[in-house]
Amino acid sequence: MRRAARFLRGGAEGRLTGADTARFLRRCAEEGLLLENVIWEEPFTCRLTLPLRDWEKAGILAERCGCTLTLIRKAGLPLAARAARARLFLTLGAVLVFLGLMASSLFVWEIRVTDNRSGVPDGEILRVLSEQGVGVGSFWPGFRPDLIRSRALAALPELSWIAVNLRGTRGLVQTRGRVAAAPIRDPRAEADVVATRAGVITGLTVLEGTPLVRRGDAVEPGQVLISADRPAGAAGHARRVHAAGEVLARTFHELSLSVPLETAEKTPTGRGRDRFGLLWGDKLYFFSRSSGISPPACDKILKIRHLGIEGLFSLPVAVVRESLRPYEAKPQERDAAELRPDLETELYERLRQEIGEEGEIISAFFTERRDPGLYTLTLRAECSQRIDREVLRETNP
Amino acid sequence: MGMRDTVADLAAAWELPEETLSREASIRLTRHQAVAEQHGGLLGYEDECVELRSGRGRVRILGRELVLRAMDRDTLIVTGHISGVEYA
């Protein structure tokens, strides 16, 4: 408390040297000067603190008492205020910067999608939010979260949930995709079971309907395997049902991939050039007047550095560095043997997608072909898989 | 019977603190601090003794590592290891 009072009124710390320091101290007290922290340093020397305004008076008293009073340092609010007056423009600038920072912290200066668990692209989400008034330069105290969420979800039906979290002046968007509902199977609708691809039937299980094929038959894609028509018999009159069953078949697959054996590799030529600019909100200003159109065979790299504290606070200004790096495209031969493992992996992946999770690969082999500048790898496989699919009569009359 | 005794008797008779009727210094002591009010001036100041004028007499505050923490016309604050106060 005493220290705070001393700072507010300002204090001067000095060193008193003399034969009769007690006399000086007594005279100071008689004159009403407030002495503080009188500490002996040596037998005839002590350190003391006086109010700033009494310093000159204390000097005169010290001289009268045959002592020497030397200044060690001065500190306190009056000195700071005097220094601020001397640097008026600097102080004003600091105050303006502080006010500017306070005002700018009420706006969103950076917005990005940090957690997107939906099939909707980030850009599309940001565009819809921007239409709701949530974008760079938005006044965040005016946000109405419920309204933003309901409008954004109405505009993006693929989303089930969206949130905009504010961290200082940064808006972080999180989304979750909608889980598609399974199609409802109507058991009263008339439907056939048809083949999804060509094959030889190896197993047939009929749950409803009339089978039109037998084990060992070869079928074509789209061919009806189990019919919805149920003929009249002992059970009653002819009628149409929703056919159902499982049809297992041996299928044959042929998949090919081709890659060029000659590619162009970029080789840097020369230093290129850089130019700097500022990104204010969503507007970009470059310092130089040179054209931003890049010449052919030239990489254009844009680096944007937002000013502020990473993860906490972002200013409306970002420094932009645009680099143009010229290159020369040199043709380069690729070795087919190096390409083959990647192609095999890719072809197997595609085959597994075609036969589904329940399908099995019975046998498979690769053949390769080399044309001028082109390498082709072909996978031929024999598989066992389900080929049945229910098709409603209305769509397949 | 001196003047000092008369003032002391009067203060006792009227049930008043003695320092209100005289120029004697009032000293309030705690373990590490002595606050002297209405002192008549500093007569000496060392690490082990601070001497004050009190009315017509003197008061010595004795101890170790004594520091004159603050002093103005009326009040004087001494901190340190205070061992005693002597009146002379």
Side-chain angles (χ1 to χ4, degrees), chain A residues 2 22 25-26 28-40 46, chain B residues 33 39-47 53 67-73 77:
Chain A
R2 198 182 297 163
L25 299 176
R26 191 165 57 246
C28 283
E30 285 167 5
E31 293 290 332
L33 273 57
L34 174 65
L35 290 166
E36 290 181 296
N37 298 332
V38 185
I39 300 165
W40 286 111
C46 65
Chain B
Q33 181 170 287
H39 66 87
L42 184 73
L43 298 175
Y45 169 42
E46 291 169 15
D47 277 351
R53 183 177 292 145
V67 172
L68 191 54
R69 191 55 66 189
M71 184 176 84
D72 64 5
R73 192 176 310 185
I77 301 171

PDB file of all heavy atoms in Angstrom, chain A residues 2 22 25-26 28-40 46, chain B residues 33 39-47 53 67-73 77:
ATOM      1  N   ARG A   2       1.918   1.182   0.884  1.00  0.00           N
ATOM      2  CA  ARG A   2       2.820   2.330   0.973  1.00  0.00           C
ATOM      3  C   ARG A   2       3.576   2.502  -0.341  1.00  0.00           C
ATOM      4  O   ARG A   2       3.823   3.605  -0.802  1.00  0.00           O
ATOM      5  CB  ARG A   2       3.793   2.096   2.135  1.00  0.00           C
ATOM      6  CG  ARG A   2       4.469   3.358   2.601  1.00  0.00           C
ATOM      7  CD  ARG A   2       5.439   3.048   3.700  1.00  0.00           C
ATOM      8  NE  ARG A   2       4.780   2.516   4.878  1.00  0.00           N
ATOM      9  CZ  ARG A   2       5.418   1.865   5.848  1.00  0.00           C
ATOM     10  NH1 ARG A   2       6.702   1.649   5.768  1.00  0.00           N
ATOM     11  NH2 ARG A   2       4.766   1.429   6.892  1.00  0.00           N
ATOM     12  N   ALA A  22      21.839  12.668  11.515  1.00  0.00           N
ATOM     13  CA  ALA A  22      20.650  12.729  12.373  1.00  0.00           C
ATOM     14  C   ALA A  22      20.075  14.135  12.374  1.00  0.00           C
ATOM     15  O   ALA A  22      18.854  14.325  12.418  1.00  0.00           O
ATOM     16  CB  ALA A  22      21.006  12.294  13.785  1.00  0.00           C
ATOM     17  N   LEU A  25      18.061  14.566   9.286  1.00  0.00           N
ATOM     18  CA  LEU A  25      16.788  13.849   9.395  1.00  0.00           C
ATOM     19  C   LEU A  25      15.814  14.617  10.286  1.00  0.00           C
ATOM     20  O   LEU A  25      14.615  14.710   9.998  1.00  0.00           O
ATOM     21  CB  LEU A  25      17.026  12.434   9.961  1.00  0.00           C
ATOM     22  CG  LEU A  25      17.922  11.518   9.112  1.00  0.00           C
ATOM     23  CD1 LEU A  25      18.155  10.194   9.829  1.00  0.00           C
ATOM     24  CD2 LEU A  25      17.308  11.267   7.746  1.00  0.00           C
ATOM     25  N   ARG A  26      16.344  15.151  11.353  1.00  0.00           N
ATOM     26  CA  ARG A  26      15.491  15.906  12.265  1.00  0.00           C
ATOM     27  C   ARG A  26      14.928  17.145  11.573  1.00  0.00           C
ATOM     28  O   ARG A  26      13.749  17.463  11.695  1.00  0.00           O
ATOM     29  CB  ARG A  26      16.333  16.305  13.498  1.00  0.00           C
ATOM     30  CG  ARG A  26      15.504  16.868  14.652  1.00  0.00           C
ATOM     31  CD  ARG A  26      16.304  16.908  15.936  1.00  0.00           C
ATOM     32  NE  ARG A  26      17.536  17.674  15.819  1.00  0.00           N
ATOM     33  CZ  ARG A  26      18.763  17.171  15.913  1.00  0.00           C
ATOM     34  NH1 ARG A  26      18.922  15.863  16.132  1.00  0.00           N
ATOM     35  NH2 ARG A  26      19.839  17.928  15.806  1.00  0.00           N
ATOM     36  N   CYS A  28      14.476  17.639   8.444  1.00  0.00           N
ATOM     37  CA  CYS A  28      13.476  17.235   7.441  1.00  0.00           C
ATOM     38  C   CYS A  28      12.125  17.033   8.117  1.00  0.00           C
ATOM     39  O   CYS A  28      11.086  17.465   7.609  1.00  0.00           O
ATOM     40  CB  CYS A  28      13.906  15.940   6.745  1.00  0.00           C
ATOM     41  SG  CYS A  28      15.188  16.196   5.528  1.00  0.00           S
ATOM     42  N   ALA A  29      12.162  16.328   9.270  1.00  0.00           N
ATOM     43  CA  ALA A  29      10.911  16.070   9.983  1.00  0.00           C
ATOM     44  C   ALA A  29      10.273  17.378  10.438  1.00  0.00           C
ATOM     45  O   ALA A  29       9.051  17.558  10.347  1.00  0.00           O
ATOM     46  CB  ALA A  29      11.178  15.155  11.178  1.00  0.00           C
ATOM     47  N   GLU A  30      11.092  18.285  10.894  1.00  0.00           N
ATOM     48  CA  GLU A  30      10.561  19.577  11.346  1.00  0.00           C
ATOM     49  C   GLU A  30       9.922  20.365  10.198  1.00  0.00           C
ATOM     50  O   GLU A  30       8.929  21.059  10.375  1.00  0.00           O
ATOM     51  CB  GLU A  30      11.690  20.409  11.968  1.00  0.00           C
ATOM     52  CG  GLU A  30      12.087  19.926  13.353  1.00  0.00           C
ATOM     53  CD  GLU A  30      13.397  20.542  13.836  1.00  0.00           C
ATOM     54  OE1 GLU A  30      13.937  21.425  13.125  1.00  0.00           O
ATOM     55  OE2 GLU A  30      13.863  20.134  14.894  1.00  0.00           O
ATOM     56  N   GLU A  31      10.500  20.201   9.007  1.00  0.00           N
ATOM     57  CA  GLU A  31       9.959  20.917   7.838  1.00  0.00           C
ATOM     58  C   GLU A  31       8.760  20.192   7.235  1.00  0.00           C
ATOM     59  O   GLU A  31       8.193  20.639   6.239  1.00  0.00           O
ATOM     60  CB  GLU A  31      11.053  21.063   6.770  1.00  0.00           C
ATOM     61  CG  GLU A  31      12.209  21.965   7.183  1.00  0.00           C
ATOM     62  CD  GLU A  31      11.798  23.430   7.267  1.00  0.00           C
ATOM     63  OE1 GLU A  31      10.862  23.823   6.530  1.00  0.00           O
ATOM     64  OE2 GLU A  31      12.380  24.180   8.067  1.00  0.00           O
ATOM     65  N   GLY A  32       8.431  19.039   7.791  1.00  0.00           N
ATOM     66  CA  GLY A  32       7.259  18.309   7.307  1.00  0.00           C
ATOM     67  C   GLY A  32       7.556  17.419   6.112  1.00  0.00           C
ATOM     68  O   GLY A  32       6.635  16.968   5.414  1.00  0.00           O
ATOM     69  N   LEU A  33       8.833  17.145   5.851  1.00  0.00           N
ATOM     70  CA  LEU A  33       9.187  16.252   4.743  1.00  0.00           C
ATOM     71  C   LEU A  33       9.030  14.801   5.202  1.00  0.00           C
ATOM     72  O   LEU A  33       9.415  14.468   6.323  1.00  0.00           O
ATOM     73  CB  LEU A  33      10.646  16.483   4.301  1.00  0.00           C
ATOM     74  CG  LEU A  33      10.896  17.571   3.267  1.00  0.00           C
ATOM     75  CD1 LEU A  33      10.377  18.909   3.730  1.00  0.00           C
ATOM     76  CD2 LEU A  33      12.378  17.671   2.936  1.00  0.00           C
ATOM     77  N   LEU A  34       8.465  14.010   4.339  1.00  0.00           N
ATOM     78  CA  LEU A  34       8.263  12.600   4.680  1.00  0.00           C
ATOM     79  C   LEU A  34       9.487  11.802   4.233  1.00  0.00           C
ATOM     80  O   LEU A  34       9.788  11.710   3.047  1.00  0.00           O
ATOM     81  CB  LEU A  34       7.006  12.057   3.990  1.00  0.00           C
ATOM     82  CG  LEU A  34       6.761  10.564   4.138  1.00  0.00           C
ATOM     83  CD1 LEU A  34       6.493  10.202   5.592  1.00  0.00           C
ATOM     84  CD2 LEU A  34       5.621  10.109   3.256  1.00  0.00           C
ATOM     85  N   LEU A  35      10.176  11.228   5.214  1.00  0.00           N
ATOM     86  CA  LEU A  35      11.352  10.400   4.909  1.00  0.00           C
ATOM     87  C   LEU A  35      10.945   8.936   4.990  1.00  0.00           C
ATOM     88  O   LEU A  35      10.235   8.536   5.907  1.00  0.00           O
ATOM     89  CB  LEU A  35      12.468  10.675   5.917  1.00  0.00           C
ATOM     90  CG  LEU A  35      13.134  12.043   5.824  1.00  0.00           C
ATOM     91  CD1 LEU A  35      13.946  12.282   7.079  1.00  0.00           C
ATOM     92  CD2 LEU A  35      14.016  12.111   4.598  1.00  0.00           C
ATOM     93  N   GLU A  36      11.443   8.149   4.056  1.00  0.00           N
ATOM     94  CA  GLU A  36      11.105   6.727   4.073  1.00  0.00           C
ATOM     95  C   GLU A  36      12.365   5.908   3.827  1.00  0.00           C
ATOM     96  O   GLU A  36      13.292   6.362   3.144  1.00  0.00           O
ATOM     97  CB  GLU A  36      10.071   6.395   2.998  1.00  0.00           C
ATOM     98  CG  GLU A  36       8.701   6.958   3.291  1.00  0.00           C
ATOM     99  CD  GLU A  36       7.705   6.595   2.219  1.00  0.00           C
ATOM    100  OE1 GLU A  36       7.903   7.042   1.076  1.00  0.00           O
ATOM    101  OE2 GLU A  36       6.755   5.887   2.528  1.00  0.00           O
ATOM    102  N   ASN A  37      12.343   4.689   4.363  1.00  0.00           N
ATOM    103  CA  ASN A  37      13.414   3.710   4.132  1.00  0.00           C
ATOM    104  C   ASN A  37      14.805   4.304   4.325  1.00  0.00           C
ATOM    105  O   ASN A  37      15.626   4.303   3.400  1.00  0.00           O
ATOM    106  CB  ASN A  37      13.293   3.112   2.722  1.00  0.00           C
ATOM    107  CG  ASN A  37      11.984   2.371   2.550  1.00  0.00           C
ATOM    108  OD1 ASN A  37      11.433   1.860   3.525  1.00  0.00           O
ATOM    109  ND2 ASN A  37      11.489   2.330   1.341  1.00  0.00           N
ATOM    110  N   VAL A  38      15.037   4.819   5.511  1.00  0.00           N
ATOM    111  CA  VAL A  38      16.366   5.354   5.825  1.00  0.00           C
ATOM    112  C   VAL A  38      17.223   4.166   6.276  1.00  0.00           C
ATOM    113  O   VAL A  38      17.007   3.624   7.352  1.00  0.00           O
ATOM    114  CB  VAL A  38      16.276   6.431   6.919  1.00  0.00           C
ATOM    115  CG1 VAL A  38      17.636   7.056   7.137  1.00  0.00           C
ATOM    116  CG2 VAL A  38      15.261   7.493   6.533  1.00  0.00           C
ATOM    117  N   ILE A  39      18.161   3.770   5.425  1.00  0.00           N
ATOM    118  CA  ILE A  39      18.952   2.561   5.696  1.00  0.00           C
ATOM    119  C   ILE A  39      20.434   2.924   5.655  1.00  0.00           C
ATOM    120  O   ILE A  39      20.904   3.558   4.703  1.00  0.00           O
ATOM    121  CB  ILE A  39      18.637   1.472   4.640  1.00  0.00           C
ATOM    122  CG1 ILE A  39      17.143   1.126   4.697  1.00  0.00           C
ATOM    123  CG2 ILE A  39      19.478   0.228   4.864  1.00  0.00           C
ATOM    124  CD1 ILE A  39      16.650   0.364   3.514  1.00  0.00           C
ATOM    125  N   TRP A  40      21.147   2.496   6.691  1.00  0.00           N
ATOM    126  CA  TRP A  40      22.589   2.758   6.733  1.00  0.00           C
ATOM    127  C   TRP A  40      23.303   1.893   5.713  1.00  0.00           C
ATOM    128  O   TRP A  40      23.077   0.705   5.633  1.00  0.00           O
ATOM    129  CB  TRP A  40      23.155   2.470   8.129  1.00  0.00           C
ATOM    130  CG  TRP A  40      22.785   3.508   9.148  1.00  0.00           C
ATOM    131  CD1 TRP A  40      21.947   3.361  10.196  1.00  0.00           C
ATOM    132  CD2 TRP A  40      23.252   4.853   9.195  1.00  0.00           C
ATOM    133  NE1 TRP A  40      21.819   4.516  10.909  1.00  0.00           N
ATOM    134  CE2 TRP A  40      22.633   5.459  10.305  1.00  0.00           C
ATOM    135  CE3 TRP A  40      24.114   5.614   8.400  1.00  0.00           C
ATOM    136  CZ2 TRP A  40      22.851   6.794  10.656  1.00  0.00           C
ATOM    137  CZ3 TRP A  40      24.333   6.939   8.760  1.00  0.00           C
ATOM    138  CH2 TRP A  40      23.709   7.513   9.867  1.00  0.00           C
ATOM    139  N   CYS A  46      23.897   6.998   4.413  1.00  0.00           N
ATOM    140  CA  CYS A  46      22.649   6.227   4.422  1.00  0.00           C
ATOM    141  C   CYS A  46      21.855   6.519   3.153  1.00  0.00           C
ATOM    142  O   CYS A  46      22.052   7.537   2.494  1.00  0.00           O
ATOM    143  CB  CYS A  46      21.814   6.527   5.666  1.00  0.00           C
ATOM    144  SG  CYS A  46      21.227   8.206   5.765  1.00  0.00           S
TER     145      CYS A  46
ATOM    146  N   GLN B  33       8.120  -3.766  14.982  1.00  0.00           N
ATOM    147  CA  GLN B  33       7.866  -2.381  14.568  1.00  0.00           C
ATOM    148  C   GLN B  33       7.541  -1.511  15.786  1.00  0.00           C
ATOM    149  O   GLN B  33       6.813  -1.951  16.682  1.00  0.00           O
ATOM    150  CB  GLN B  33       6.710  -2.351  13.559  1.00  0.00           C
ATOM    151  CG  GLN B  33       6.386  -0.955  13.052  1.00  0.00           C
ATOM    152  CD  GLN B  33       5.419  -0.989  11.895  1.00  0.00           C
ATOM    153  OE1 GLN B  33       5.790  -1.363  10.795  1.00  0.00           O
ATOM    154  NE2 GLN B  33       4.189  -0.623  12.134  1.00  0.00           N
ATOM    155  N   HIS B  39       6.479  12.730  18.392  1.00  0.00           N
ATOM    156  CA  HIS B  39       7.875  12.785  18.836  1.00  0.00           C
ATOM    157  C   HIS B  39       8.399  14.213  18.656  1.00  0.00           C
ATOM    158  O   HIS B  39       7.886  14.987  17.836  1.00  0.00           O
ATOM    159  CB  HIS B  39       8.733  11.777  18.064  1.00  0.00           C
ATOM    160  CG  HIS B  39       8.847  12.097  16.605  1.00  0.00           C
ATOM    161  ND1 HIS B  39       9.809  12.930  16.121  1.00  0.00           N
ATOM    162  CD2 HIS B  39       8.099  11.707  15.552  1.00  0.00           C
ATOM    163  CE1 HIS B  39       9.672  13.023  14.810  1.00  0.00           C
ATOM    164  NE2 HIS B  39       8.623  12.289  14.452  1.00  0.00           N
ATOM    165  N   GLY B  40       9.436  14.518  19.386  1.00  0.00           N
ATOM    166  CA  GLY B  40       9.966  15.880  19.331  1.00  0.00           C
ATOM    167  C   GLY B  40      11.165  16.016  18.425  1.00  0.00           C
ATOM    168  O   GLY B  40      11.810  17.067  18.390  1.00  0.00           O
ATOM    169  N   GLY B  41      11.506  14.970  17.697  1.00  0.00           N
ATOM    170  CA  GLY B  41      12.627  15.053  16.774  1.00  0.00           C
ATOM    171  C   GLY B  41      13.572  13.892  16.969  1.00  0.00           C
ATOM    172  O   GLY B  41      13.616  13.260  18.031  1.00  0.00           O
ATOM    173  N   LEU B  42      14.334  13.637  15.921  1.00  0.00           N
ATOM    174  CA  LEU B  42      15.274  12.533  15.954  1.00  0.00           C
ATOM    175  C   LEU B  42      16.617  13.044  16.487  1.00  0.00           C
ATOM    176  O   LEU B  42      17.154  14.031  15.984  1.00  0.00           O
ATOM    177  CB  LEU B  42      15.446  11.966  14.535  1.00  0.00           C
ATOM    178  CG  LEU B  42      16.321  10.752  14.377  1.00  0.00           C
ATOM    179  CD1 LEU B  42      15.624   9.503  14.910  1.00  0.00           C
ATOM    180  CD2 LEU B  42      16.665  10.551  12.905  1.00  0.00           C
ATOM    181  N   LEU B  43      17.137  12.347  17.486  1.00  0.00           N
ATOM    182  CA  LEU B  43      18.424  12.785  18.060  1.00  0.00           C
ATOM    183  C   LEU B  43      19.577  11.907  17.598  1.00  0.00           C
ATOM    184  O   LEU B  43      20.707  12.360  17.477  1.00  0.00           O
ATOM    185  CB  LEU B  43      18.341  12.753  19.593  1.00  0.00           C
ATOM    186  CG  LEU B  43      17.296  13.695  20.202  1.00  0.00           C
ATOM    187  CD1 LEU B  43      17.210  13.500  21.707  1.00  0.00           C
ATOM    188  CD2 LEU B  43      17.655  15.143  19.897  1.00  0.00           C
ATOM    189  N   GLY B  44      19.299  10.658  17.309  1.00  0.00           N
ATOM    190  CA  GLY B  44      20.358   9.780  16.842  1.00  0.00           C
ATOM    191  C   GLY B  44      19.767   8.556  16.170  1.00  0.00           C
ATOM    192  O   GLY B  44      18.649   8.133  16.501  1.00  0.00           O
ATOM    193  N   TYR B  45      20.548   8.031  15.224  1.00  0.00           N
ATOM    194  CA  TYR B  45      20.011   6.885  14.477  1.00  0.00           C
ATOM    195  C   TYR B  45      21.166   5.955  14.132  1.00  0.00           C
ATOM    196  O   TYR B  45      22.076   6.329  13.410  1.00  0.00           O
ATOM    197  CB  TYR B  45      19.295   7.378  13.224  1.00  0.00           C
ATOM    198  CG  TYR B  45      18.926   6.306  12.238  1.00  0.00           C
ATOM    199  CD1 TYR B  45      18.411   5.081  12.681  1.00  0.00           C
ATOM    200  CD2 TYR B  45      19.070   6.503  10.889  1.00  0.00           C
ATOM    201  CE1 TYR B  45      18.068   4.106  11.780  1.00  0.00           C
ATOM    202  CE2 TYR B  45      18.727   5.534   9.975  1.00  0.00           C
ATOM    203  CZ  TYR B  45      18.224   4.329  10.434  1.00  0.00           C
ATOM    204  OH  TYR B  45      17.886   3.355   9.542  1.00  0.00           O
ATOM    205  N   GLU B  46      21.134   4.771  14.724  1.00  0.00           N
ATOM    206  CA  GLU B  46      22.138   3.750  14.415  1.00  0.00           C
ATOM    207  C   GLU B  46      21.415   2.425  14.223  1.00  0.00           C
ATOM    208  O   GLU B  46      20.211   2.330  14.429  1.00  0.00           O
ATOM    209  CB  GLU B  46      23.139   3.631  15.571  1.00  0.00           C
ATOM    210  CG  GLU B  46      24.040   4.844  15.712  1.00  0.00           C
ATOM    211  CD  GLU B  46      24.820   4.821  17.018  1.00  0.00           C
ATOM    212  OE1 GLU B  46      24.856   3.751  17.644  1.00  0.00           O
ATOM    213  OE2 GLU B  46      25.334   5.861  17.399  1.00  0.00           O
ATOM    214  N   ASP B  47      22.203   1.409  13.859  1.00  0.00           N
ATOM    215  CA  ASP B  47      21.617   0.082  13.632  1.00  0.00           C
ATOM    216  C   ASP B  47      20.987  -0.498  14.895  1.00  0.00           C
ATOM    217  O   ASP B  47      20.064  -1.304  14.829  1.00  0.00           O
ATOM    218  CB  ASP B  47      22.703  -0.890  13.152  1.00  0.00           C
ATOM    219  CG  ASP B  47      22.906  -0.748  11.658  1.00  0.00           C
ATOM    220  OD1 ASP B  47      22.088  -0.044  11.041  1.00  0.00           O
ATOM    221  OD2 ASP B  47      23.892  -1.296  11.136  1.00  0.00           O
ATOM    222  N   ARG B  53      13.481  12.686  20.857  1.00  0.00           N
ATOM    223  CA  ARG B  53      13.126  13.632  21.911  1.00  0.00           C
ATOM    224  C   ARG B  53      11.662  13.404  22.240  1.00  0.00           C
ATOM    225  O   ARG B  53      10.829  13.231  21.343  1.00  0.00           O
ATOM    226  CB  ARG B  53      13.359  15.057  21.440  1.00  0.00           C
ATOM    227  CG  ARG B  53      13.077  16.092  22.526  1.00  0.00           C
ATOM    228  CD  ARG B  53      13.394  17.482  22.058  1.00  0.00           C
ATOM    229  NE  ARG B  53      14.824  17.668  21.874  1.00  0.00           N
ATOM    230  CZ  ARG B  53      15.357  18.422  20.917  1.00  0.00           C
ATOM    231  NH1 ARG B  53      14.583  19.012  20.047  1.00  0.00           N
ATOM    232  NH2 ARG B  53      16.659  18.587  20.820  1.00  0.00           N
ATOM    233  N   VAL B  67      15.768  -0.083  11.266  1.00  0.00           N
ATOM    234  CA  VAL B  67      15.666   0.724  10.036  1.00  0.00           C
ATOM    235  C   VAL B  67      14.597   1.781  10.258  1.00  0.00           C
ATOM    236  O   VAL B  67      13.497   1.470  10.737  1.00  0.00           O
ATOM    237  CB  VAL B  67      15.294  -0.159   8.827  1.00  0.00           C
ATOM    238  CG1 VAL B  67      14.995   0.701   7.611  1.00  0.00           C
ATOM    239  CG2 VAL B  67      16.408  -1.130   8.514  1.00  0.00           C
ATOM    240  N   LEU B  68      14.947   2.998   9.903  1.00  0.00           N
ATOM    241  CA  LEU B  68      13.981   4.089   9.991  1.00  0.00           C
ATOM    242  C   LEU B  68      13.092   4.015   8.748  1.00  0.00           C
ATOM    243  O   LEU B  68      13.466   4.447   7.671  1.00  0.00           O
ATOM    244  CB  LEU B  68      14.747   5.423  10.034  1.00  0.00           C
ATOM    245  CG  LEU B  68      13.963   6.672  10.371  1.00  0.00           C
ATOM    246  CD1 LEU B  68      13.206   6.536  11.671  1.00  0.00           C
ATOM    247  CD2 LEU B  68      14.913   7.857  10.445  1.00  0.00           C
ATOM    248  N   ARG B  69      11.954   3.365   8.913  1.00  0.00           N
ATOM    249  CA  ARG B  69      11.121   3.068   7.738  1.00  0.00           C
ATOM    250  C   ARG B  69      10.436   4.322   7.206  1.00  0.00           C
ATOM    251  O   ARG B  69      10.320   4.520   6.002  1.00  0.00           O
ATOM    252  CB  ARG B  69      10.089   1.997   8.128  1.00  0.00           C
ATOM    253  CG  ARG B  69       9.331   1.396   7.011  1.00  0.00           C
ATOM    254  CD  ARG B  69      10.222   0.806   5.957  1.00  0.00           C
ATOM    255  NE  ARG B  69      10.986  -0.348   6.407  1.00  0.00           N
ATOM    256  CZ  ARG B  69      11.956  -0.919   5.697  1.00  0.00           C
ATOM    257  NH1 ARG B  69      12.302  -0.404   4.523  1.00  0.00           N
ATOM    258  NH2 ARG B  69      12.612  -1.954   6.160  1.00  0.00           N
ATOM    259  N   ALA B  70       9.964   5.178   8.106  1.00  0.00           N
ATOM    260  CA  ALA B  70       9.328   6.426   7.665  1.00  0.00           C
ATOM    261  C   ALA B  70       9.369   7.431   8.813  1.00  0.00           C
ATOM    262  O   ALA B  70       9.335   7.037   9.989  1.00  0.00           O
ATOM    263  CB  ALA B  70       7.879   6.165   7.252  1.00  0.00           C
ATOM    264  N   MET B  71       9.448   8.697   8.410  1.00  0.00           N
ATOM    265  CA  MET B  71       9.461   9.731   9.456  1.00  0.00           C
ATOM    266  C   MET B  71       8.912  11.033   8.876  1.00  0.00           C
ATOM    267  O   MET B  71       9.295  11.443   7.781  1.00  0.00           O
ATOM    268  CB  MET B  71      10.891   9.970   9.956  1.00  0.00           C
ATOM    269  CG  MET B  71      10.956  10.964  11.103  1.00  0.00           C
ATOM    270  SD  MET B  71      12.599  11.133  11.746  1.00  0.00           S
ATOM    271  CE  MET B  71      13.284  12.318  10.634  1.00  0.00           C
ATOM    272  N   ASP B  72       8.016  11.646   9.592  1.00  0.00           N
ATOM    273  CA  ASP B  72       7.601  13.010   9.247  1.00  0.00           C
ATOM    274  C   ASP B  72       7.493  13.806  10.557  1.00  0.00           C
ATOM    275  O   ASP B  72       8.010  13.374  11.593  1.00  0.00           O
ATOM    276  CB  ASP B  72       6.305  13.021   8.418  1.00  0.00           C
ATOM    277  CG  ASP B  72       5.121  12.467   9.174  1.00  0.00           C
ATOM    278  OD1 ASP B  72       5.279  12.158  10.369  1.00  0.00           O
ATOM    279  OD2 ASP B  72       4.039  12.337   8.577  1.00  0.00           O
ATOM    280  N   ARG B  73       6.803  14.910  10.524  1.00  0.00           N
ATOM    281  CA  ARG B  73       6.807  15.816  11.678  1.00  0.00           C
ATOM    282  C   ARG B  73       6.221  15.166  12.935  1.00  0.00           C
ATOM    283  O   ARG B  73       6.701  15.366  14.034  1.00  0.00           O
ATOM    284  CB  ARG B  73       6.012  17.074  11.324  1.00  0.00           C
ATOM    285  CG  ARG B  73       6.200  18.187  12.323  1.00  0.00           C
ATOM    286  CD  ARG B  73       5.457  19.408  11.852  1.00  0.00           C
ATOM    287  NE  ARG B  73       5.784  19.708  10.466  1.00  0.00           N
ATOM    288  CZ  ARG B  73       5.350  20.779   9.813  1.00  0.00           C
ATOM    289  NH1 ARG B  73       4.575  21.635  10.424  1.00  0.00           N
ATOM    290  NH2 ARG B  73       5.662  20.980   8.571  1.00  0.00           N
ATOM    291  N   ILE B  77       8.441   5.708  12.247  1.00  0.00           N
ATOM    292  CA  ILE B  77       8.253   4.248  12.250  1.00  0.00           C
ATOM    293  C   ILE B  77       9.625   3.596  12.167  1.00  0.00           C
ATOM    294  O   ILE B  77      10.413   3.888  11.266  1.00  0.00           O
ATOM    295  CB  ILE B  77       7.375   3.788  11.072  1.00  0.00           C
ATOM    296  CG1 ILE B  77       6.002   4.462  11.141  1.00  0.00           C
ATOM    297  CG2 ILE B  77       7.222   2.278  11.064  1.00  0.00           C
ATOM    298  CD1 ILE B  77       5.138   4.247   9.916  1.00  0.00           C
TER     299      ILE B  77
END
